[in-house]
Amino acid sequence: MSTVRVLTSHGEPRPTTNPYITMLTGALRRTPGMEVVPFSARAALLGRYSVVHLHWPETILGLGGRRFTGRLVRWVLAALLLARLTIARTPVVRTVHNVELPADASGAQRLLLRWFDRLTTHRIVLNDRTECSGPSTTIPHGHYRDWYTGPRSPMVPGRLQYVGLVRRYKGVEGLVEAFRSVADDSLTLDIAGAASSQELVVTVSALAYDDPRVSLRFDYLSDDDLVAAVTSAELVVLPYRFMHNSGTVLAAISLDRPVLVPDTPVNADLAAEVGPGWIHTFTGDLTGEAIEAALAAAREPRAASPDLSAREWDDAGQAHLAIYRLALSRAGSRERSAAPRSRASS
C-alpha cells in the first residue's frame, strides 16, 4: 500500500506542546506506511498530503489571540485551507476532544469551525460515551507512563493534590471550600497550576488565606514539577464541574496515584478498566465528607499499578492508520460516484 501523508492541525511538537499530541505524533511516525506533515501555512496551502487530521481546529483560527490583525490573518488562512480541502475533496479526520464549540469563539470563528465539521469524513473519539454525528471510532487516550519519567517524591500521608490549569469550570474554589470543612488537621491540600485569570487567583487565595493546611502555587508546572506534585500526594483531587475527557486523570494514574473525580459514565468506565482502588468519585458538589470517604477508600489495599494495557501508544498508531485509510477509501468512493459516466461507444 502507498504511504499515507497526514497533515496535522499542530506544528512540530515543542517542549510546551500538549504531551498527548507529542506522544501521538511519535506513535504515528513509528507506524510503517505513514508520514506526518506538521501544520504550517505553507504546508497546509501548498504542501502535498492525502489526509488532514484535526484535534483542536480552533488553534488554526488563532482562538484566544490578543491582536485582531493576527486573528484575521489566521481566519483567512483557515478559509483558504477549507476551500482547498473542499475543492480537492481531501478527507478530514477529527479527534473529538471537546463536545461543544469553544465558548469564546466569535461568529466568524464559529462559521469556520462548522465548515471544518461539515468536511469531516470520520471522527475519532477517546471513549465510547462521546456522542457525535457521522462515522466514528474509539481510540482510547494513551497512558503517560513513558512521558512522566522525572524524579518521584515520597508519598506524604494526608496530602491532597490538585494539578493543572486553574479555570472556573474545574471547580478549584469548591475544592478549597470543601477541604476547609474537614476538621482533620493531619490533612493538607496543595493546589498547583497556572490560573486562567488574576481574578481567579484572588478568589481562590481569599478562600484559603487563613487555613495553614492549604498551599497555593499559581505557576506553570514543568513535567518534573507535575511528577513531584502528583507522587507526593496520597490522593489527587480533580473537582471539575464538567469532565468528559481528562488527560490529568490519566497522568495521575500513570504515576500510580489514585484520583477523586466527578461521578460520570466516562469515569465509571475508566474505573472498571483500570481496576479497583484507583478511581474514586463524588456526586453533585464536592463536600468534605466526599473527600474523607475517598481518602479512606484510597487507603484500602489495591494493585501496585492500574491496568493501562488498553492504552499503549503503538496500538494507537496502527489504529489511526486504519482510520486514515478508511477515510481515503470513502473519499475515493465519493469521487467515483460524483464523476460523470462516459458513454459507451457505438
Side-chain angles (χ1 to χ4, degrees):
M1 284 186 165
S2 60
T3 297
V4 177
R5 289 174 57 87
V6 184
L7 175 73
T8 64
S9 57
H10 50 82
E12 188 67 36
R14 299 178 294 178
T16 56
T17 298
N18 184 319
Y20 171 84
I21 293 298
T22 302
M23 297 190 78
L24 177 59
T25 301
L28 297 180
R29 284 176 167 161
R30 293 192 302 271
T31 303
M34 186 162 12
E35 181 180 348
V36 175
V37 181
F39 187 90
S40 69
R42 183 178 182 83
L45 299 181
L46 303 175
R48 184 171 61 87
Y49 48 85
S50 46
V51 179
V52 173
H53 186 177
L54 303 174
H55 286 275
W56 295 274
E58 55 266 28
T59 60
I60 296 175
L61 307 181
L63 191 61
R66 295 183 180 181
R67 295 192 176 188
F68 175 76
T69 53
R71 295 198 304 272
L72 183 59
V73 169
R74 300 293 288 270
W75 299 351
V76 172
L77 166 63
L80 291 173
L81 171 60
L82 285 161
R84 170 181 170 164
L85 300 181
T86 301
I87 294 169
R89 297 178 181 269
T90 304
V92 175
V93 173
R94 168 85 179 272
T95 296
V96 182
H97 293 274
N98 303 317
V99 295
E100 297 180 351
L101 291 174
D104 53 350
S106 67
Q109 289 167 328
R110 287 175 178 272
L111 285 174
L112 293 170
L113 289 171
R114 291 192 178 100
W115 192 353
F116 276 121
D117 276 343
R118 288 195 299 272
L119 291 180
T120 299
T121 307
H122 199 97
R123 287 171 173 80
I124 296 171
V125 295
L126 301 178
N127 61 71
D128 292 333
R129 303 285 184 172
T130 301
E131 296 181 1
C132 58
S133 60
S136 65
T137 301
T138 301
I139 302 180
H141 190 307
H143 63 68
Y144 287 122
R145 283 177 173 158
D146 302 325
W147 181 264
Y148 292 119
T149 58
R152 298 192 174 202
S153 301
M155 190 271 286
V156 179
R159 169 71 60 82
L160 306 174
Q161 182 70 57
Y162 173 90
V163 292
L165 186 65
V166 178
R167 302 184 71 176
R168 289 288 182 191
Y169 80 89
K170 294 191 175 185
V172 177
E173 311 99 299
L175 169 58
V176 175
E177 291 177 317
F179 178 78
R180 287 179 61 101
S181 71
V182 177
D184 188 345
D185 287 337
S186 69
L187 303 186
T188 57
L189 170 64
D190 182 58
I191 294 172
S196 59
S197 69
Q198 185 59 34
E199 179 187 1
L200 196 50
V201 169
V202 172
T203 299
V204 175
S205 299
L207 290 170
Y209 86 99
D210 61 347
D211 191 331
R213 300 174 301 165
V214 181
S215 56
L216 305 174
R217 293 179 288 164
F218 296 113
D219 297 313
Y220 168 78
L221 297 182
S222 68
D223 289 342
D224 286 353
D225 291 337
L226 185 142
V227 171
V230 168
T231 55
S232 71
E234 191 170 9
L235 178 68
V236 175
V237 185
L238 302 174
Y240 294 17
R241 296 189 178 99
F242 174 80
M243 178 180 284
H244 188 68
N245 296 308
S246 173
T248 309
V249 173
L250 287 171
I253 60 176
S254 294
L255 290 166
D256 301 329
R257 289 297 183 267
V259 295
L260 174 60
V261 291
D263 185 9
T264 67
V266 173
N267 288 333
D269 291 345
L270 182 61
E273 175 192 337
V274 303
W278 296 104
I279 307 294
H280 306 274
T281 61
F282 66 92
T283 57
D285 294 331
L286 182 63
T287 63
E289 291 80 5
I291 291 174
E292 291 179 295
L295 186 56
R299 288 171 172 171
E300 294 295 322
R302 61 176 180 268
S305 295
D307 179 5
L308 298 175
S309 58
R311 297 172 180 271
E312 297 295 341
W313 283 101
D314 286 346
D315 295 341
Q318 292 289 344
H320 278 77
L321 177 58
I323 290 170
Y324 298 151
R325 294 198 185 281
L326 177 61
L328 281 166
S329 69
R330 284 180 176 152
S333 298
R334 287 201 303 269
E335 287 186 9
R336 287 192 295 273
S337 64
R341 295 183 180 181
S342 59
R343 293 184 179 180
S345 57
S346 55

